[in-house]
Structure formats: C-alpha cells, structure tokens
Amino acid sequence: SGGGHGSRCVALAATGEAVGVVGWFRRPSLQHDDLGWGLAPQYTGCGYAREAAKALLDAVASGARVLAVIHPD
C-alpha cells in the first residue's frame, strides 16, 4: 500500500480548467488501496482519466503491486 491518499484535481494543461478528480484511497471494504476518478461528462472518452491515473500511480505507487477491479458504471 502506497502513501499519498486523497483526491486531486484533474485540470486541462492548456487552460487550467478543472474537469474532474482522481484519487488514491484506503477503503475499509477493500483489502488493497483503491484508485478512482470522476470526470465531467463532456470530458469522458478523451483519455484524461487514463492520463491522470497514470500520473497518480507514478507519484504514489512506485514499485507497488497493482490489482485491477473495474466497474463500468
């Protein structure tokens, strides 16, 4: 389990406009840390969640074992 728990703003590099959040969480119902995100509807499908998740993993989970559980909703 890595450090750096909490949420961070996802913003467009060109304008600084906030378009969503990405976060690293410790949830009592899960055995491992959880990476989650949410974007404003008009920004989904643009690759922003993937980019933000990768940046967050690079920052807080260097060398950590990463498990995936995906919920499409």
Side-chain angles (χ1 to χ4, degrees), residues 11-72:
L12 299 180
T15 65
E17 177 185 1
V19 299
V21 295
V22 64
W24 188 252
F25 306 101
R26 171 51 86 185
R27 300 183 195 277
S29 61
L30 297 176
Q31 183 179 358
H32 300 282
D33 290 347
D34 179 33
L35 186 152
W37 63 84
L39 296 173
Q42 65 269 35
Y43 296 104
T44 61
C46 300
Y48 298 134
R50 182 185 182 284
E51 184 178 348
K54 182 182 180 324
L56 184 63
L57 281 172
D58 289 348
V60 302
S62 179
R65 181 176 175 205
V66 177
L67 306 173
V69 178
I70 298 172
H71 295 279

